[in-house]
Amino acid sequence: QVQLVESGGGLVQAGGSLRLSCAASGRTFSSGRMGWFRQAPGKEREFVAFISWSGGSTYYADSVKGRFTISRDNAKNTGYLQMNSLKPEDTAVYYCAARFRYYGGSYYTPAGYDDWGQGTQVTVSS
């Protein structure tokens, strides 16, 4: 019931930065969560970061902690993933996901989300 539109992916050299955005359409949301996942070729989709929509609590995978920052602008129904100090191993398709209707399930697995963006490619060259 929610449409998520991602943007911001691209090609960047190691050490560079990108900011991904994820816009949720149709309404204002006051609760729930938004997360980011990524999937590299030949690998399963993995959790990257999470933010609670109301309180703004965040959690990061160890692989990106200290380099990535997740945020949200509730008024714009938009989430962001600021990615700094990018490494070649960050190369993947990045997906935003949301569960706005309620809190439930695990935020660190895809099953904890209902709505997904189309994915945006991030490629980090060495």
Side-chain angles (χ1 to χ4, degrees), residues 47-48 59-67:
F47 169 77
V48 175
Y59 186 81
Y60 299 90
D62 288 341
S63 59
V64 306
K65 194 174 300 180
R67 300 187 297 119

Side-chain angles (χ1 to χ4, degrees), residues 77-100:
N77 290 339
T78 301
Y80 304 93
L81 185 68
Q82 178 68 46
M83 305 185 295
N84 298 327
S85 301
L86 283 162
K87 304 174 181 179
E89 50 263 46
D90 295 319
T91 295
V93 177
Y94 283 71
Y95 300 88
C96 68
R99 174 168 282 173
F100 287 129

Side-chain angles (χ1 to χ4, degrees), residues 13-78:
Q13 64 184 3
S17 298
L18 287 172
R19 189 176 80 155
L20 308 183
S21 64
C22 177
S25 66
R27 63 184 67 87
T28 299
F29 304 96
S30 59
S31 63
R33 65 172 70 111
M34 179 175 283
W36 289 88
F37 293 78
R38 66 187 183 186
Q39 188 166 21
K43 298 183 179 180
E44 65 181 7
R45 191 167 299 187
E46 67 173 350
F47 169 77
V48 175
F50 145 86
I51 188 167
S52 65
W53 205 249
S54 56
S57 300
T58 60
Y59 186 81
Y60 299 90
D62 288 341
S63 59
V64 306
K65 194 174 300 180
R67 300 187 297 119
F68 290 11
T69 302
I70 188 170
S71 62
R72 86 281 195 247
D73 186 334
N74 298 65
K76 298 183 183 299
N77 290 339
T78 301

